[in-house]
Amino acid sequence: MALEESINRVVSLLSGRSLSPDQASDLAGMEAEEPGTLESAALKLFERKRDELRAIFDGESQCRKVAREIENRYGIDEGDIYQPESVGDLVALLKQARQIGVAVRAVGSARSLSDAPAPTSDTIMVSTCGLADALPVDVSVLQDSGQAEWLYRCGAGRTVAEILAELDPYPDDPARPMARTLQNMGAGQFQAVGGALCTSTHGSGITQPSFPQLVAAYRMVTFDEAGEVVVLQLEPSPDNGAISNPAAFAASQSRADIPVALVQDDAQFNAGLVSLGCLGIIYEIYLKLVPGFYLEEHRFTDWWSEVKTQLPQLLGDNDYFELLIDPVQSDNRGTPDNRVLRTQRNRVEAYRDCGERPRLMELATTEIGRITSAILLEWAIKSPPARVPRNLRTGVTSTEVECYTDKNYHVLQLNLDINSASTEPAVPVEHAAAAIDAVLAKVQANLDGMMRRFPPPYDLGLDRDTPFHEDVEALKAAWREVPIPTSPLGVRFVSANDAPLSQMYQRATCTIEMPMPGSDYLDQRTADDPASRRKLLDVYEAYLEGRQKLFTEVEQLLIDRFDARPHWEQANYLDRATTARVLPAFEDWLDIYRLRNASGLFNSAFTDRLNISVHPELSEEPAPLPDGQPVQGEAVFRHDRSENRGILKVKDELAKLLYQRLTQPVEEPRCRSLFFLSDRCKRMGVSCVASTQNLIDPYVVEFRFTPTGELLSLTQDYDLDNALALNRDYGTASFDGRLLTISGDAAAGLRDFVRAGRMVNSQPPPEPDDPVVLRLEALEKGDWDVEPF
């Protein structure tokens, strides 16, 4: 079949996300006959739909994009995300959160792959997308009025793309230079500046600044030593680059409705630069600008054995330098070696039209690129020893650039939009070659193990009806036990900074990124074939488990041998002891963290993992059982849509009583949080969880209900579309030693939740009586008769 005819047929197949088994087999056959057919077809389709795709992407608001990411990652609906539009909104939010005892998590673009922004059970999710305006710089408060031209002030929710669009009025005309620009940036313009700062985003260039070094000052809503909500502007000390005149600044705030206090202190400024939302909510940032400049890019393939001997010279000779390494060995004139794509970018005085980048690089920024990536991944996980090396080789060699010149940000930013997870340990730059060798050896050992399980000759097994060697169980075991990367390694080089939690803290750094894509389309592409769908999803699940195993092993390998540090935005698994070992200023950062988070409102899954979550102390005096008078407390009900359950929380002295009388600590905490589950609760078939997680009042008892009113277990077929939106209904609780009575909106919310669930499951709804009563007989003996409805 002629290549052009194959490409045209593949274009028609790619135009729809759902491929029939016959179409999938046809596509696989064309790819096997003419390798590269899929990529060529995807490019052709991209050219056809380019304007349509761009219009859809550009027309969607940033808040909607963030909400979609939050919903996809955490199962929280857009209506349940708090979107403040002013500092006053944030101040009111923290005061309310402190009053009701829930944590607060703020996100930028919600693209982080780690648990840094992840909400936990009692958390208000905050999107900073409504704090995204460009703001004027107040020249009257600056130390030097001439600084104003080289400062850019904006809300923390503003994206890098929006900043660059404002700085460059002629983005499509490379011959018209920019007056001002950012000196360095990460590869994606979709990042919000607040998120890029808090996770220590970086580009590549051993003399170039990382994102924390681009920040001159920032504003944060947090708590002071007395536990009061305060608004701060944090800057370095006057001897180290402070931009504001303290007297002029104080005068400017004297009549403000919400005054901002100026803090010019190196330790506090640096601690907040990379703080993962643990010190407060950053809502405004001052960025340092430089005169606009051009970069000339050259990307060409080489061999790792040759590059590593020249590495110090290559780093010194290039302004921006990075590597893309095929982790699977190829033949280099009779010697096993790894292919490398060298990317060298250097400043030039003026624009010259010396060439273009391949269209394949732009394709990866669109949905067509995501679909193509998903198909390639599907083939890879079905036949790893045969397909993975081919995919990796293509990934390294297909984006060579002989010469490309443009404004700096066009050259530095790639804006890949592919479903992917990655880990990116950072090692001292002097150990870069040895660390890369260690990772390559680990990958090669796993590949050898994979090939021993499935020796050649290889049946490509691209048809979804014929998985690799028709042995799905063996394939699943291989992915779980000897996983191999499905994308090239990205290697970057970054200068040192002074942020204590940054991976570049006080050392020049080499970062080694191992990305492994996922797929958004497996369900849709196999919807018409349930049997194949189940097989494919089983193998995909094993691949995802193996991906995490490989990430963990590579991270630990580089920690053990080179004191590697994590990129907090990427997958990482460090505990407190390891974090303190690899980040020498971690304990100093903790001192500031304990001050700003004394209330526990900035606790998170991340602080739980590091075992640094803060919980205010209560009296150790045990609460007595009721003696004549019922014990009163607060009751809160909410519908957790992410896990499809209703949660009734009982708080205050009543919760303390239940906590002390009903729960017994166990050695292993549940969910990496301070959870304690009583054995007697288990015996009674209920979920009674006492939690000190994310709460101002450490003693809280949870009753977890299914949508049909049962305790503990979850129904798997509940229709989420009919569920109520996530909310919090407040009421009161009273316990007289026998009956736990829930009144007010908390009782109504619980009843409505169960009524909706029973209607979906064709069960009789609960009676609308108020209150809801939980009958607890012989409390101390552990005999519970629970009759909520």
Side-chain angles (χ1 to χ4, degrees):
M1 180 183 297
L3 178 60
E4 184 62 26
E5 182 181 349
S6 296
I7 291 174
N8 289 335
R9 290 189 62 190
V10 175
V11 166
S12 66
L13 295 176
L14 281 177
S15 297
R17 294 184 185 178
S18 179
L19 274 68
S20 69
D22 290 342
Q23 289 174 324
S25 300
D26 193 15
L27 181 57
M30 287 186 284
E31 174 69 15
E33 182 180 339
E34 291 283 353
T37 300
L38 176 62
E39 289 89 342
S40 300
L43 280 170
K44 187 167 185 176
L45 182 60
F46 166 63
E47 291 293 341
R48 179 187 300 175
K49 294 193 171 186
R50 181 179 181 181
D51 293 340
E52 174 188 339
L53 290 166
R54 290 295 179 215
I56 293 172
F57 180 81
D58 294 339
E60 187 177 42
S61 72
Q62 177 63 12
C63 282
R64 179 66 193 108
K65 293 173 187 175
V66 173
R68 178 161 41 82
E69 290 291 338
I70 292 174
E71 183 173 4
N72 290 341
R73 292 175 186 272
Y74 310 121
I76 300 175
D77 287 348
E78 183 173 3
D80 303 319
I81 302 167
Y82 188 70
Q83 296 180 354
E85 298 181 352
S86 68
V87 63
D89 291 345
L90 286 176
V91 169
L93 170 66
L94 288 193
K95 289 180 178 179
Q96 181 186 20
R98 182 179 57 185
Q99 180 180 0
I100 65 177
V102 295
V104 176
R105 295 305 292 158
V107 297
S109 59
R111 293 294 193 100
S112 176
L113 303 174
S114 73
D115 60 358
T120 47
S121 60
D122 244 1
T123 302
I124 298 174
M125 200 70 173
V126 178
S127 169
T128 58
C129 66
L131 301 165
D133 291 338
L135 302 167
V137 174
D138 186 353
V139 178
S140 68
V141 304
L142 296 179
Q143 294 273 20
D144 177 1
S145 60
Q147 292 176 292
E149 182 182 0
W150 303 107
L151 291 173
Y152 182 92
R153 178 187 173 202
C154 65
R158 196 165 183 80
T159 65
V160 176
E162 290 170 324
I163 294 172
L164 293 168
E166 184 178 355
L167 294 175
D168 185 5
Y170 309 104
D172 297 323
D173 187 353
R176 303 186 74 163
M178 298 171 67
R180 304 177 299 162
T181 189
L182 298 173
Q183 185 174 341
N184 203 6
M185 59 202 74
Q189 293 184 23
F190 49 75
Q191 282 185 296
V193 290
L197 171 61
C198 284
T199 56
S200 197
T201 292
H202 59 88
S204 188
I206 201 63
T207 61
Q208 305 303 322
S210 56
F211 212 93
Q213 293 165 285
L214 301 179
V215 175
Y218 57 91
R219 291 186 175 185
M220 173 189 288
V221 182
T222 185
F223 293 93
D224 63 12
E225 295 87 340
E228 297 299 320
V229 177
V230 292
V231 184
L232 306 177
Q233 176 159 318
L234 291 113
E235 300 181 4
S237 66
D239 295 333
N240 224 0
I243 62 172
S244 299
N245 178 296
F249 190 95
S252 72
Q253 297 297 315
S254 60
R255 297 184 179 179
D257 293 335
I258 301 177
V260 180
L262 179 64
V263 178
Q264 294 180 329
D265 178 84
D266 290 334
Q268 294 198 57
F269 173 75
N270 290 326
L273 287 173
V274 182
S275 55
L276 295 92
C278 297
L279 305 186
I281 300 177
I282 294 176
Y283 71 94
E284 201 172 286
I285 295 175
Y286 291 76
L287 294 170
K288 304 173 187 175
L289 302 179
V290 297
F293 61 95
Y294 289 98
L295 288 175
E296 185 168 288
E297 176 183 80
H298 302 272
R299 299 163 64 97
F300 51 91
T301 54
D302 206 332
W303 293 99
W304 171 238
S305 61
E306 299 173 15
V307 170
K308 69 179 178 180
T309 63
Q310 309 168 44
L311 200 52
Q313 180 179 350
L314 289 169
L315 292 176
D317 289 348
N318 293 282
D319 294 327
Y320 300 82
F321 180 80
E322 60 189 78
L323 303 171
L324 196 66
I325 303 179
D326 180 351
V328 172
Q329 291 178 341
S330 300
D331 180 69
N332 178 11
R333 293 168 292 186
T335 302
D337 206 345
N338 297 86
R339 282 188 174 85
V340 176
L341 181 71
R342 283 168 50 178
T343 299
Q344 301 173 184
R345 299 164 176 145
N346 290 287
R347 290 192 182 216
V348 291
E349 291 298 323
Y351 169 74
R352 69 185 183 101
D353 186 2
C354 64
E356 293 185 351
R357 283 174 164 170
R359 284 293 189 198
L360 189 62
M361 294 178 69
E362 191 173 0
L363 167 68
T365 68
T366 70
E367 187 176 6
I368 300 300
R370 291 173 74 94
I371 298 173
T372 305
S373 173
I375 295 172
L376 292 172
L377 174 64
E378 180 182 327
W379 292 347
I381 64 176
K382 286 181 175 180
S383 50
R387 187 71 204 193
V388 168
R390 181 189 297 182
N391 288 359
L392 290 170
R393 185 164 59 251
T394 301
V396 168
T397 61
S398 61
T399 57
E400 288 187 298
V401 176
E402 183 174 342
C403 182
Y404 170 62
T405 303
D406 210 327
K407 300 166 189 178
N408 74 311
Y409 75 95
H410 279 313
V411 177
L412 293 175
Q413 297 210 309
L414 301 178
N415 291 317
L416 301 182
D417 190 25
I418 293 174
N419 179 333
S420 182
S422 59
T423 188
E424 191 175 11
V427 302
V429 72
E430 59 269 24
H431 298 316
I436 294 168
D437 280 339
V439 174
L440 294 176
K442 166 64 179 172
V443 171
Q444 193 61 44
N446 279 19
L447 179 62
D448 292 344
M450 184 82 76
M451 296 179 72
R452 282 193 295 271
R453 294 170 184 240
F454 307 109
Y458 297 120
D459 172 9
L460 283 180
L462 302 183
D463 186 339
R464 73 174 77 165
D465 290 328
T466 56
F468 187 87
H469 284 202
E470 299 186 355
D471 191 342
V472 176
E473 293 305 316
L475 187 59
K476 287 159 59 178
W479 275 116
R480 288 190 176 106
E481 295 165 17
V482 286
I484 55 178
T486 50
S487 293
L489 307 179
V491 179
R492 302 173 185 89
F493 305 89
V494 195
S495 63
N497 66 38
D498 290 319
L501 288 196
S502 172
Q503 64 272 46
M504 284 78 71
Y505 176 69
Q506 294 189 350
R507 74 182 189 193
T509 294
C510 167
T511 69
I512 305 171
E513 182 182 22
M514 178 179 283
M516 292 181 67
S519 174
D520 301 319
Y521 303 103
L522 291 185
D523 275 345
Q524 299 169 28
R525 284 180 26 75
T526 57
D528 59 333
D529 188 348
S532 293
R533 177 179 182 272
R534 184 67 269 160
K535 282 192 238 180
L536 180 57
L537 293 181
D538 281 351
V539 176
Y540 181 61
E541 181 179 350
Y543 163 78
L544 296 181
E545 292 177 20
R547 179 172 75 176
Q548 180 171 335
K549 179 177 186 289
L550 185 58
F551 287 172
T552 305
E553 291 174 347
V554 167
E555 180 186 70
Q556 194 60 51
L557 169 69
L558 296 181
I559 289 173
D560 291 343
R561 294 185 56 182
F562 305 104
D563 279 343
R565 298 169 179 172
H567 190 327
W568 296 117
E569 187 183 18
Q570 314 282 22
N572 65 87
Y573 310 95
L574 278 70
D575 57 17
R576 175 172 177 168
T578 306
T579 302
R581 170 188 150 193
V582 301
L583 290 169
F586 179 65
E587 295 297 333
D588 295 332
W589 180 87
L590 279 180
D591 290 339
I592 297 174
Y593 163 76
R594 293 188 187 102
L595 166 66
R596 298 298 176 206
N597 191 36
S599 64
L601 259 66
F602 304 130
N603 290 348
S604 66
F606 167 75
T607 61
D608 284 348
R609 168 159 63 96
L610 266 59
N611 196 25
I612 59 173
S613 293
V614 176
H615 306 288
E617 295 182 1
L618 289 186
S619 169
E620 295 301 321
E621 290 296 322
L625 284 172
D627 183 16
Q629 296 297 320
V631 176
Q632 305 295 325
E634 180 184 1
V636 182
F637 175 79
R638 71 183 179 90
H639 177 192
D640 183 347
R641 295 190 66 144
S642 65
E643 297 191 25
N644 187 24
R645 65 187 181 191
I647 299 177
L648 175 68
K649 290 182 181 291
V650 181
K651 307 173 71 173
D652 304 331
E653 285 300 309
L654 173 53
K656 184 175 181 180
L657 182 152
L658 293 175
Y659 174 87
Q660 293 175 336
R661 300 293 179 177
L662 297 181
T663 63
Q664 300 169 0
V666 293
E667 291 185 3
E668 290 295 325
R670 302 173 67 237
C671 303
R672 297 181 295 188
S673 303
L674 298 178
F675 275 168
F676 304 98
L677 183 60
S678 164
D679 286 338
R680 73 177 63 161
C681 290
K682 290 180 181 177
R683 289 198 305 272
M684 290 178 285
V686 300
S687 177
C688 169
V689 180
S691 168
T692 60
Q693 174 188 341
N694 296 334
L695 301 164
I696 293 175
D697 304 312
Y699 295 110
V700 174
V701 174
E702 290 185 1
F703 298 90
R704 302 184 179 186
F705 294 91
T706 71
T708 54
E710 294 85 5
L711 292 171
L712 193 61
S713 61
L714 295 176
T715 56
Q716 300 300 315
D717 58 351
Y718 181 52
D719 183 359
L720 286 177
D721 290 337
N722 288 338
L724 302 176
L726 175 69
N727 52 50
R728 289 174 174 81
D729 296 310
Y730 300 93
T732 59
S734 176
F735 179 60
D736 64 3
R738 180 170 173 268
L739 301 178
L740 178 63
T741 303
I742 309 299
S743 303
D745 289 345
L750 177 56
R751 284 198 316 275
D752 290 343
F753 167 74
V754 175
R755 180 180 293 110
R758 289 188 177 177
M759 289 174 65
V760 170
N761 289 277
S762 300
Q763 297 182 16
E767 294 298 321
D769 295 332
D770 186 22
V772 170
V773 177
L774 297 134
R775 187 181 305 277
L776 288 74
E777 297 286 357
L779 182 63
E780 289 186 290
K781 295 180 181 179
D783 297 327
W784 281 23
D785 176 17
V786 181
E787 298 178 355
F789 308 109

